[in-house]
Amino acid sequence: MPQEQYPHRSTMQTSEGPQVYKVGIYGWRKRCLYFFVLLLMILILVNLAMTIWILKVMNFTTDGMGNLRITEKGLKLEGDSEFLKPLYAKEIRSRPGNPLYFQSARNVTVNILNEKTKVLTRLVTGPQAVEAHSQKFEVKTLSGKLLFSADDNEVVVGAERLRVLGAEGTVFPKSIETPNVRADPFKELRLESPTRALVMEAPKGIEINAEAGSLKATCRTELRLESKDGEITLNSAKIKLPNLPQGSSSSAGSRQKIYELCVCPNGRLFLSQAGTSSTCQINTSVCL
């Protein structure tokens, strides 16, 4: 084997005398080694400086990073925060005394899921409308009083007063059940059915009262007041029926203005000139 493979032997006896061999790296190999060591130190310093700069910019501390802080109760975010993927949390709340904002470029959707990841309740707030999908929707006061509820069967308004501010009023395509219908003070109340009939029914009675104004009922064909087991009471200082038909007048009493109110078998009312006795039988042709 060559003698260079034995560096521990620095001298060797030969016939010509002792020879000396140098141990180490010399020449261009030594300069390359120093250059690589210097380059490695520069990279380490640059890497350390970049790490310190990132820690400074991202605000890394022992409590967290940036606006995110790790506390005993959970995570705490200060300022505006943006989430690019879904956020799963047990509770989200703001600091005491500050509001909590949810902001989105399109819509904000809140889903309630069951253990099978099926949507039970969904609230969608979009640019066009606010939609709530659930089996029942309720609005209550802080004391627990029901103000409004809606489900597949009925809509309940639990407020003491329901006000309709629209100029055209309220349209009910079907029946409405309520114990009291009244207008605001100094405002008129109008119940109107433009193309169909208006029917008011009650198991015990219907009371129509206008304390500070007049009461007017107008219809195109007929107005019927019916009481099956009771009576109909018109309580007023004056009751006027100006357009009742009149029966034929007699020659003896053609100038008098005293009339008798008659009722036909079908319930129709008409006027007949009063006489010494009833004249309703004379004018029965009005009932035809």
Side-chain angles (χ1 to χ4, degrees), residues 231-245:
E231 62 182 9
I232 298 175
T233 303
L234 302 177
N235 186 8
S236 176
K238 295 181 180 180
I239 298 177
K240 295 182 179 181
L241 303 174
N243 296 325
L244 289 179

Side-chain angles (χ1 to χ4, degrees), residues 2-287:
Q3 296 180 359
E4 287 81 2
Q5 295 184 2
Y6 300 91
H8 59 279
R9 299 179 61 182
S10 59
T11 59
M12 182 177 292
Q13 297 291 334
T14 61
S15 61
E16 297 180 355
Q19 295 182 358
V20 179
Y21 293 92
K22 297 181 179 180
V23 179
I25 301 175
Y26 298 93
W28 63 271
R29 294 185 179 86
K30 182 177 181 181
R31 289 192 294 269
C32 290
L33 179 61
Y34 288 163
F35 173 76
F36 283 120
V37 172
L38 180 61
L39 181 61
L40 181 61
M41 293 179 63
I42 293 174
L43 290 178
I44 292 174
L45 293 177
V46 171
N47 190 12
L48 182 60
M50 291 293 295
T51 304
I52 296 175
W53 179 77
I54 292 175
L55 293 176
K56 184 65 177 179
V57 171
M58 299 299 294
N59 195 12
F60 276 96
T61 60
T62 57
D63 297 332
M65 59 171 290
N67 296 331
L68 180 63
R69 295 290 182 268
I70 301 175
T71 62
E72 297 179 355
K73 298 181 179 180
L75 299 178
K76 180 180 180 182
L77 289 174
E78 298 178 354
D80 298 336
S81 301
E82 181 178 356
F83 299 94
L84 302 179
K85 293 185 178 181
L87 174 64
Y88 299 92
K90 182 179 180 181
E91 182 180 357
I92 300 176
R93 62 180 180 179
S94 63
R95 292 186 300 177
N98 293 334
L100 178 62
Y101 294 98
F102 290 95
Q103 185 175 356
S104 174
R106 293 187 178 180
N107 56 36
V108 177
T109 303
V110 179
N111 294 331
I112 305 299
L113 309 178
N114 58 5
E115 55 275 0
K116 297 181 180 180
T117 66
K118 182 180 179 181
V119 178
L120 299 179
T121 303
R122 174 179 297 174
L123 178 63
V124 181
T125 59
Q128 301 295 332
V130 178
E131 300 179 2
H133 303 267
S134 63
Q135 296 181 356
K136 190 174 183 179
F137 179 75
E138 292 184 352
V139 178
K140 295 183 179 181
T141 60
L142 295 177
S143 59
K145 181 180 178 181
L146 180 64
L147 296 179
F148 179 84
S149 67
D151 55 14
D152 294 337
N153 299 324
E154 63 180 2
V155 176
V156 179
V157 179
E160 296 180 358
R161 177 180 299 181
L162 175 62
R163 300 184 61 184
V164 180
L165 303 179
E168 299 297 330
T170 304
V171 179
F172 297 97
K174 295 185 179 180
S175 62
I176 176 176
E177 181 179 352
T178 178
N180 188 12
V181 178
R182 64 181 180 182
D184 289 338
F186 307 104
K187 301 291 183 179
E188 64 177 11
L189 175 63
R190 178 179 296 180
L191 301 178
E192 182 178 358
S193 179
T195 58
R196 295 292 185 268
L198 178 61
V199 180
M200 291 186 293
E201 296 180 354
K204 292 185 178 181
I206 297 176
E207 181 181 355
I208 303 176
N209 186 14
E211 298 180 355
S214 60
L215 179 64
K216 183 178 180 181
T218 305
C219 64
R220 185 174 181 84
T221 55
E222 63 180 13
L223 177 64
R224 177 179 296 179
L225 300 177
E226 181 181 354
S227 178
K228 295 181 179 180
D229 298 330
E231 62 182 9
I232 298 175
T233 303
L234 302 177
N235 186 8
S236 176
K238 295 181 180 180
I239 298 177
K240 295 182 179 181
L241 303 174
N243 296 325
L244 289 179
Q246 297 182 9
S248 58
S249 60
S250 60
S251 59
S254 59
R255 295 182 179 178
Q256 68 177 0
K257 295 183 179 180
I258 300 176
Y259 297 90
E260 181 181 359
L261 181 63
C262 303
V263 182
C264 297
N266 58 2
R268 185 178 183 183
L269 299 177
F270 67 94
L271 297 178
S272 178
Q273 287 187 352
T276 56
S277 60
S278 176
T279 58
C280 293
Q281 298 297 330
I282 302 174
N283 300 307
T284 55
S285 60
V286 182
C287 300

